[in-house]
Amino acid sequence: MFTAPSDPVNVRKELKVTQLCELCHSRKAIIRRPKNLQKICKLCFFHVFETEIHETIVSNDLFYRGERVAVGASGGKDSTVLAYVLKLLNERHDYGIEIVLLSIDEGIVGYRDDSLATVKRNQQQYQLPLEIFSYQDLYDWTMDDIVETAGIRNSCTYCGVLRRQALDRGAAKLEIKHVVTGHNADDMAETVLMNILRGDVARLEKSTSIMTSSTGSPIKRSKPFKYCYQKEIVLYAHYKKLDYFSTECTYAPEAFRGTARELMKNFEAIRPSCIIDIIASGESFVLKQKMGKQNKKKIITYNDGNRCERCGYLSSNKICKACMLLEGLEKSRAQIKIQVQVPGEPQQEGPAKVLRTLERLTF
Amino acid sequence: MSDSHSHSDILLCQRCNKNHASVISRKEKFCTDCFRNFVSLKQRKQMMSDQYYQDIFKVMYKDKLRSEQDAHLQNLNSKILVPLSFGSSSLVMLDILNDTLLEQSITHRGKTGFTVDVIICFHDEQIQNQIKENVSKLINAKYKENNQKIKFHLVDINQFFDNSPHLQSLVLQETDFLIKSLNLKDQSIIEKKLTLSEILDQCSDRSTYQDLLAFVTKHAIKKYAFQHDFKAILWGHSMTRLADEVISLIVKGRGSAISSSLNTDDFDENYGNKFKNLYPLKDILLTEIDAYCYNSGLHNYLINYNIQDALLVNKINQNTDKIQTNSLKNKTINELARNYFEVIEGDYSNVISTVVRTGDKLAEPKSQENFKISKCNLCMQKIYSDPSQWITSITENKGHPLETDEEKENYQRWKNYNNDKLKNSEMDFFRLNEFVKENGSKACLCYGCTITLNTFKDKSVVWPVHDDKELNSVLEDYVLTDHEE
């Protein structure tokens, strides 16, 4: 059989010393870590990735033995890797926790139904229990309906508020007191920047905390991926051949957040460590003590344990944000809806489905 | 200012309703005079922001608190330092200060509340002549009447190293991100590395280069203020510039320095608590300053600055094809932040002021438990927690164990290679670094500087020891007058 003279297949090439991994110095480096610019090999990458998450979990006392933990699973890369790594670490280091996958179905046809299919496969692959709660059941609204009523511009506001509550409610129904989410370092850095750009003073100090819990709420949330670069999560999922859903939500992110995201990408291009650097900055933020006449007038008596008068969910105001948004929506729905949706019938096509179909069209 | 008006719909100034509008800012139309007034009042408002600054800028007379002689002395000793970079902001600020002095002179029969010393820093010989020429033109055209009240000093920041009695070598240990330092008493070891440009050349990217240069310049200015008993340094930072400073500090991991760098209330701790820092143009956008600069004819004195005509009614139209000098990759962090604000100013105009106001609300961080607050050996900022401890706590530095024979073989090769490198190395620096790592003492560097050092070519830098001796070693300056050509 003819083999090309330059065929490299059977030639054993000796690696140059400069090609070697900077941690084990014995295997070929294939990844450059954005965090510290180290060039490392695949095995060392798996090792450092998993160990760093383990360290984060241990040093912050995220779990206790016997705790039931819900992983907010969307089917995307972050939550898929989170479920995988948590299960792995739980077995390796014997945390003694019970992991449940908790998914929220926002009702975005063509996006969430596909990603939920991924979660269902993950359930089989990792042998973890899965619970799905839908906006439809919880609020009697799907995101597609909301976008149709309120327009695409504010979709993230609605979705964000409702999902936060949905996760809590889902966890409460399962009698789980701890929800872990796949928020990564990039998300956190973006939040720090956003809070500064928007002047969101109330959130500034807390924006980098790894665990959030309110005194009035039995459910705490944590982010074990706080220090993990998105790039590394993607690489991990890729090299581990994890089954995840990689499409972005069809409803575009809020325009202003989009600008902040782009700004951060630009920063990252010239200084890859900037994501961790931003978190380092964010962790040092302390607000000045309020003084002077102006502030004396409005001392906000923020009561951490307040409950919404309507739904009983945790809220700093009389009525929680979700109920306010839903009330606004109800008003619009009554006027705009022309077709009557019959309960039990299959869902109508949302804009996401239409977009998806358009995307797949070929000439 | 005469504008050519070929349009039938001539815009009128909304303030005086008489003159043609030349600037549109904050949705309002201004004529040149009203706009000058608008900007000028905003600057003067900052200059009167508290008692300390009022005492500096107001013309003092005998009153309950002070005798006539005291008042006279106070007027005489109210010296302020103005760093001039020949960008639009510092030129505009100086122009407004000149106007203030003139006004005081007229209304107080020759008396003024303060005197201005302008400091111009340079490190590049080539630019020196242009600076001299521009200063001379400026004095002749604008500041003749205030000859005695405004003085110009030229400072060569290359003195940064010559001027330092002690130098230290700072080396970053990659494994644990600890910094080791060694005082270099015998400077001959590193004789060839003593110039500023050589240190700057070690920077791997423009961002680090500009940061170091900015620090050295700032240090020279503050040291000058310390040595010549100035009451305050008036920095020409616009609102836009401060906003990009806040964002850049965050991105560089220097978030803990925001409160101190925006602090105008307290004396500067690092320089003997002798003066305060003020940002008089804090309430004015850079586009507004550029419009002022152009309308007042100050654009003729700019050096290395591209003026924007965004707010001008009649665009300058000089070079419409804006030269894109830098690709994205070649921009500094500050430039990226600036670009962002330039773009965002149109759609979200309040973002710039929001960022500055939010930055103002930040306090000095709390120090980490069991951590003694110390000062960074490089940038002199306070350190509130141990950066190396933080970095190592989130970074795993051990690899996956060796498995195959081939891997073991590779490892052995790497080991031999490194030993050879150490033995055969003729580079003084490689050896010096190893020496410092072994014999140096643990040094404190803030998080931002630790990251900066990590981007340096050989993860080390030679830097002056910032101590009293260094602060008091006289910084030479060169007084410029209108006769310089």
Side-chain angles (χ1 to χ4, degrees), chain B residues 315-371:
Chain B
K315 302 291 176 205
I316 310 171
N317 273 339
Q318 299 168 326
N319 282 321
T320 36
D321 48 286
K322 280 185 184 164
I323 316 149
Q324 288 291 323
T325 42
N326 287 326
S327 70
L328 188 71
K329 270 262 177 189
N330 219 356
K331 283 203 155 72
T332 67
I333 288 175
N334 286 70
E335 284 165 353
L336 282 177
R338 169 69 56 83
N339 270 11
Y340 174 76
F341 288 124
E342 274 170 12
V343 173
I344 208 104
E345 207 181 314
D347 291 338
Y348 305 91
S349 56
N350 54 357
V351 171
I352 299 174
S353 63
T354 306
V355 170
V356 178
R357 266 187 289 122
T358 314
D360 262 335
K361 286 177 188 157
L362 291 174
E364 196 183 323
K366 290 171 192 138
S367 69
Q368 191 188 15
E369 256 177 74
N370 304 323
F371 184 81

Coordinates of all heavy atoms in Angstrom, one line a residue, chain B residues 315-371:
Chain B
K315 N -18.8 70.7 12.8 CA -17.7 69.7 13.0 C -16.4 70.2 12.5 O -16.3 71.0 11.6 CB -18.1 68.4 12.4 CG -19.4 67.8 12.8 CD -19.3 67.3 14.3 CE -20.7 66.8 14.7 NZ -20.8 66.9 16.2
I316 N -15.3 69.7 13.1 CA -14.0 70.2 12.7 C -13.6 69.7 11.3 O -13.0 70.5 10.5 CB -12.9 69.7 13.7 CG1 -13.3 70.0 15.1 CG2 -11.6 70.4 13.4 CD1 -12.4 69.4 16.2
N317 N -14.0 68.5 11.0 CA -13.8 68.0 9.7 C -12.4 67.9 9.2 O -12.1 67.9 8.0 CB -14.6 68.8 8.6 CG -16.0 68.3 8.5 OD1 -16.3 67.2 8.9 ND2 -16.9 69.2 8.0
Q318 N -11.5 67.8 10.1 CA -10.1 67.8 9.7 C -9.8 66.4 9.1 O -9.6 66.3 7.9 CB -9.1 68.0 10.8 CG -9.2 69.3 11.5 CD -8.5 69.3 12.8 OE1 -8.4 68.3 13.5 NE2 -7.9 70.5 13.1
N319 N -9.8 65.5 9.9 CA -9.5 64.1 9.5 C -10.7 63.3 9.8 O -10.9 62.7 10.8 CB -8.3 63.5 10.3 CG -7.0 64.1 9.7 OD1 -6.9 64.2 8.5 ND2 -6.1 64.4 10.6
T320 N -11.6 63.3 8.8 CA -12.8 62.5 9.1 C -12.5 61.0 9.1 O -13.2 60.3 9.8 CB -13.9 62.8 8.0 OG1 -13.2 63.0 6.8 CG2 -14.7 64.0 8.3
D321 N -11.5 60.6 8.3 CA -11.2 59.2 8.4 C -10.3 59.0 9.6 O -9.1 59.0 9.5 CB -10.5 58.7 7.1 CG -9.4 59.7 6.7 OD1 -9.7 60.8 6.2 OD2 -8.2 59.3 6.9
K322 N -10.9 58.8 10.7 CA -10.2 58.6 12.0 C -9.2 57.4 11.8 O -9.6 56.3 11.5 CB -11.1 58.4 13.1 CG -11.7 59.7 13.6 CD -12.6 59.4 14.9 CE -13.3 60.7 15.3 NZ -14.4 60.5 16.2
I323 N -8.0 57.8 12.1 CA -7.0 56.7 12.0 C -7.1 55.7 13.1 O -7.0 56.1 14.3 CB -5.6 57.3 12.0 CG1 -5.5 58.6 11.1 CG2 -4.5 56.3 11.5 CD1 -4.6 59.6 11.6
Q324 N -7.4 54.5 12.7 CA -7.5 53.4 13.8 C -6.1 53.0 14.0 O -5.6 52.1 13.3 CB -8.4 52.3 13.2 CG -9.9 52.6 13.2 CD -10.5 52.8 14.6 OE1 -10.1 52.1 15.5 NE2 -11.4 53.7 14.7
T325 N -5.4 53.6 15.0 CA -4.0 53.3 15.2 C -3.8 51.9 15.8 O -2.9 51.2 15.4 CB -3.4 54.3 16.2 OG1 -4.3 54.5 17.2 CG2 -3.1 55.6 15.5
N326 N -4.8 51.5 16.6 CA -4.5 50.2 17.3 C -5.6 49.2 17.0 O -6.8 49.5 16.9 CB -4.6 50.4 18.8 CG -3.3 51.1 19.3 OD1 -2.3 50.9 18.7 ND2 -3.5 52.0 20.3
S327 N -5.2 48.0 16.8 CA -6.1 46.9 16.8 C -6.6 46.6 18.2 O -6.0 47.1 19.1 CB -5.5 45.7 16.2 OG -4.6 45.1 17.1
L328 N -7.7 45.9 18.3 CA -8.2 45.6 19.7 C -7.1 45.0 20.6 O -7.0 45.4 21.7 CB -9.4 44.6 19.5 CG -10.2 44.4 20.8 CD1 -11.0 45.6 21.1 CD2 -11.1 43.2 20.6
K329 N -6.4 44.1 20.0 CA -5.4 43.4 20.8 C -4.3 44.3 21.4 O -3.6 44.0 22.4 CB -4.7 42.3 19.9 CG -5.4 41.0 20.0 CD -4.7 40.1 21.0 CE -5.4 38.8 21.2 NZ -4.9 37.9 22.2
N330 N -4.1 45.4 20.7 CA -3.0 46.3 21.0 C -3.4 47.4 22.0 O -2.7 48.3 22.3 CB -2.4 46.9 19.8 CG -0.9 46.9 19.9 OD1 -0.3 46.6 21.0 ND2 -0.2 47.3 18.8
K331 N -4.7 47.4 22.3 CA -5.2 48.5 23.2 C -4.9 48.2 24.6 O -4.7 47.1 25.0 CB -6.7 48.6 23.0 CG -7.1 49.3 21.7 CD -8.5 49.9 21.9 CE -8.7 51.0 20.9 NZ -8.9 50.7 19.6
T332 N -4.8 49.3 25.5 CA -4.6 49.0 26.9 C -6.0 48.9 27.5 O -7.0 49.2 26.9 CB -3.9 50.2 27.5 OG1 -4.8 51.4 27.5 CG2 -2.6 50.6 26.8
I333 N -6.0 48.4 28.8 CA -7.3 48.3 29.5 C -8.0 49.6 29.6 O -9.2 49.7 29.4 CB -7.0 47.6 30.8 CG1 -6.6 46.1 30.6 CG2 -8.2 47.7 31.8 CD1 -6.2 45.4 31.8
N334 N -7.2 50.6 29.9 CA -7.8 52.0 30.0 C -8.4 52.4 28.7 O -9.5 53.0 28.6 CB -6.8 53.0 30.4 CG -6.5 52.9 31.9 OD1 -5.8 51.9 32.3 ND2 -6.9 53.8 32.7
E335 N -7.7 52.1 27.6 CA -8.3 52.5 26.3 C -9.5 51.8 26.0 O -10.5 52.4 25.4 CB -7.2 52.3 25.2 CG -6.1 53.3 25.2 CD -4.9 52.9 24.3 OE1 -4.9 51.8 23.9 OE2 -4.0 53.7 24.2
L336 N -9.6 50.5 26.3 CA -10.8 49.7 26.1 C -12.0 50.3 26.9 O -13.1 50.4 26.3 CB -10.6 48.3 26.5 CG -9.8 47.4 25.5 CD1 -9.7 46.0 26.0 CD2 -10.6 47.3 24.1
A337 N -11.7 50.6 28.1 CA -12.8 51.2 29.0 C -13.2 52.5 28.4 O -14.4 52.8 28.3 CB -12.3 51.4 30.4
R338 N -12.2 53.3 27.9 CA -12.6 54.6 27.3 C -13.4 54.5 26.1 O -14.4 55.1 25.9 CB -11.2 55.4 27.0 CG -11.4 56.6 26.1 CD -12.0 57.7 26.8 NE -11.4 58.1 28.1 CZ -10.3 58.8 28.2 NH1 -9.8 59.4 27.1 NH2 -9.7 59.1 29.3
N339 N -13.0 53.5 25.2 CA -13.8 53.2 24.0 C -15.2 52.9 24.4 O -16.2 53.3 23.7 CB -13.2 52.0 23.3 CG -12.2 52.4 22.3 OD1 -11.8 53.6 22.3 ND2 -11.8 51.5 21.5
Y340 N -15.4 52.0 25.4 CA -16.7 51.6 25.8 C -17.5 52.8 26.2 O -18.7 53.0 25.7 CB -16.6 50.7 27.0 CG -17.9 50.3 27.6 CD1 -18.7 49.3 27.0 CD2 -18.4 50.8 28.8 CE1 -19.9 49.0 27.5 CE2 -19.6 50.5 29.4 CZ -20.3 49.5 28.7 OH -21.5 49.2 29.3
F341 N -17.0 53.7 26.9 CA -17.7 54.9 27.4 C -18.0 55.8 26.2 O -19.1 56.4 26.1 CB -17.0 55.7 28.5 CG -17.0 55.0 29.8 CD1 -15.8 54.6 30.4 CD2 -18.2 54.6 30.4 CE1 -15.9 53.9 31.6 CE2 -18.3 53.9 31.6 CZ -17.1 53.6 32.2
E342 N -17.1 55.9 25.3 CA -17.4 56.7 24.1 C -18.6 56.2 23.3 O -19.4 57.0 22.8 CB -16.1 56.8 23.2 CG -15.1 57.8 23.6 CD -13.8 57.7 22.8 OE1 -13.7 56.9 21.8 OE2 -12.9 58.4 23.2
V343 N -18.6 54.9 23.2 CA -19.7 54.3 22.4 C -21.0 54.4 23.2 O -22.1 54.7 22.7 CB -19.4 52.8 22.1 CG1 -20.6 52.1 21.5 CG2 -18.2 52.7 21.2
I344 N -20.9 54.2 24.5 CA -22.1 54.1 25.3 C -22.7 55.5 25.6 O -23.9 55.6 25.9 CB -21.8 53.3 26.6 CG1 -23.1 52.6 27.2 CG2 -21.3 54.2 27.7 CD1 -23.1 51.2 27.0
E345 N -21.9 56.5 25.5 CA -22.4 57.9 25.8 C -23.7 58.2 25.0 O -24.5 58.9 25.5 CB -21.3 58.9 25.5 CG -21.3 60.1 26.4 CD -20.2 61.1 26.0 OE1 -19.1 60.7 25.9 OE2 -20.5 62.3 25.9
G346 N -23.8 57.7 23.8 CA -24.9 58.0 23.0 C -26.2 57.4 23.5 O -27.2 58.1 23.8
D347 N -26.2 56.1 23.8 CA -27.4 55.4 24.2 C -27.7 55.4 25.7 O -28.8 55.5 26.1 CB -27.3 53.9 23.8 CG -27.3 53.7 22.3 OD1 -27.9 54.7 21.6 OD2 -26.9 52.7 21.7
Y348 N -26.6 55.3 26.4 CA -26.8 55.3 27.9 C -26.0 56.4 28.5 O -24.9 56.2 29.0 CB -26.4 54.0 28.5 CG -27.1 52.8 27.9 CD1 -26.6 52.1 26.8 CD2 -28.4 52.3 28.4 CE1 -27.2 51.0 26.2 CE2 -29.0 51.2 27.8 CZ -28.4 50.6 26.8 OH -29.0 49.5 26.2
S349 N -26.4 57.7 28.3 CA -25.6 58.8 28.6 C -25.2 58.9 30.1 O -24.2 59.4 30.5 CB -26.2 60.1 28.2 OG -27.5 60.2 28.8
N350 N -26.1 58.3 31.0 CA -25.8 58.5 32.4 C -24.8 57.4 33.0 O -24.4 57.5 34.1 CB -27.1 58.4 33.2 CG -27.9 57.2 32.9 OD1 -27.5 56.4 32.1 ND2 -29.0 57.0 33.6
V351 N -24.4 56.5 32.1 CA -23.5 55.4 32.6 C -22.2 56.0 33.2 O -21.7 55.6 34.3 CB -23.2 54.4 31.6 CG1 -22.1 53.4 32.0 CG2 -24.4 53.6 31.2
I352 N -21.6 57.0 32.5 CA -20.4 57.6 32.9 C -20.5 58.2 34.3 O -19.7 57.9 35.2 CB -19.9 58.6 31.9 CG1 -19.7 57.9 30.6 CG2 -18.6 59.3 32.4 CD1 -19.3 58.8 29.4
S353 N -21.5 59.0 34.5 CA -21.6 59.6 35.8 C -22.0 58.6 36.9 O -21.5 58.7 38.0 CB -22.7 60.8 35.8 OG -23.9 60.2 35.5
T354 N -22.8 57.6 36.5 CA -23.1 56.5 37.5 C -21.9 55.8 38.0 O -21.7 55.6 39.2 CB -24.0 55.5 36.8 OG1 -25.1 56.1 36.2 CG2 -24.5 54.5 37.8
V355 N -21.0 55.5 37.0 CA -19.7 54.8 37.4 C -18.9 55.7 38.4 O -18.5 55.2 39.5 CB -18.9 54.4 36.2 CG1 -17.5 53.9 36.6 CG2 -19.6 53.4 35.4
V356 N -18.8 57.0 38.1 CA -18.0 57.8 39.0 C -18.7 57.9 40.4 O -18.0 57.8 41.4 CB -17.8 59.2 38.4 CG1 -17.0 60.1 39.3 CG2 -17.0 59.1 37.1
R357 N -20.0 58.1 40.4 CA -20.7 58.2 41.6 C -20.6 56.9 42.5 O -20.5 57.0 43.7 CB -22.2 58.6 41.4 CG -22.4 60.1 41.5 CD -23.8 60.5 41.4 NE -24.3 60.2 40.1 CZ -25.4 59.4 39.8 NH1 -26.0 58.8 40.8 NH2 -25.8 59.3 38.6
T358 N -20.7 55.8 41.8 CA -20.6 54.5 42.5 C -19.2 54.4 43.0 O -19.1 53.9 44.2 CB -21.0 53.4 41.5 OG1 -22.1 53.7 40.8 CG2 -21.2 52.1 42.3
G359 N -18.2 54.7 42.3 CA -16.9 54.6 42.7 C -16.7 55.5 44.0 O -16.0 55.1 44.9
D360 N -17.3 56.7 44.0 CA -17.3 57.5 45.2 C -17.9 56.9 46.4 O -17.6 57.4 47.5 CB -18.0 58.8 44.8 CG -17.1 59.9 44.4 OD1 -15.9 59.8 44.8 OD2 -17.5 60.8 43.7
K361 N -18.8 56.0 46.2 CA -19.5 55.4 47.4 C -18.7 54.3 48.0 O -19.1 53.8 49.0 CB -20.9 54.9 46.9 CG -21.9 56.0 46.7 CD -23.2 55.5 46.2 CE -24.1 56.6 45.8 NZ -25.1 56.2 44.8
L362 N -17.6 53.9 47.4 CA -16.8 52.8 47.9 C -15.9 53.3 49.0 O -15.3 54.4 48.9 CB -16.0 52.2 46.8 CG -16.7 51.4 45.8 CD1 -15.8 50.9 44.7 CD2 -17.4 50.2 46.4
A363 N -15.8 52.5 50.1 CA -14.9 52.9 51.2 C -13.7 52.1 51.2 O -13.5 51.2 50.3 CB -15.7 52.7 52.5
E364 N -12.8 52.4 52.1 CA -11.5 51.7 52.2 C -11.9 50.2 52.6 O -12.7 50.1 53.5 CB -10.7 52.3 53.3 CG -9.3 51.9 53.2 CD -8.5 52.5 54.4 OE1 -8.7 53.6 54.7 OE2 -7.6 51.7 54.9
P365 N -11.4 49.2 51.9 CA -11.8 47.8 52.3 C -11.4 47.5 53.7 O -10.5 48.1 54.3 CB -11.0 47.0 51.3 CG -10.6 47.9 50.2 CD -10.4 49.3 50.8
K366 N -12.1 46.4 54.2 CA -11.7 45.9 55.5 C -10.5 44.9 55.3 O -10.5 44.3 54.3 CB -12.9 45.1 56.1 CG -14.0 46.0 56.5 CD -15.2 45.2 56.9 CE -16.4 46.1 57.0 NZ -17.6 45.5 56.4
S367 N -9.7 44.9 56.3 CA -8.5 44.0 56.1 C -9.0 42.6 56.5 O -9.8 42.4 57.3 CB -7.4 44.4 56.9 OG -7.6 44.2 58.3
Q368 N -8.3 41.7 55.8 CA -8.6 40.2 56.1 C -8.2 39.9 57.5 O -7.3 40.5 58.1 CB -7.6 39.5 55.1 CG -7.9 38.0 55.0 CD -6.7 37.4 54.2 OE1 -5.7 38.0 54.0 NE2 -6.9 36.2 53.8
E369 N -8.9 38.9 58.0 CA -8.7 38.5 59.4 C -7.2 38.1 59.6 O -6.6 37.5 58.8 CB -9.5 37.3 59.8 CG -10.7 37.6 60.6 CD -11.6 36.4 60.9 OE1 -11.1 35.6 61.7 OE2 -12.6 36.3 60.3
N370 N -6.6 38.5 60.7 CA -5.2 38.2 61.0 C -4.2 38.7 60.0 O -3.2 38.2 59.8 CB -5.0 36.7 61.2 CG -5.9 36.1 62.2 OD1 -6.2 36.8 63.2 ND2 -6.4 34.9 62.0
F371 N -4.6 39.7 59.2 CA -3.7 40.3 58.3 C -3.4 41.7 58.6 O -4.3 42.5 58.8 CB -4.3 40.2 56.8 CG -3.3 40.6 55.8 CD1 -2.4 39.8 55.3 CD2 -3.4 41.9 55.3 CE1 -1.5 40.2 54.3 CE2 -2.5 42.3 54.3 CZ -1.5 41.5 53.8

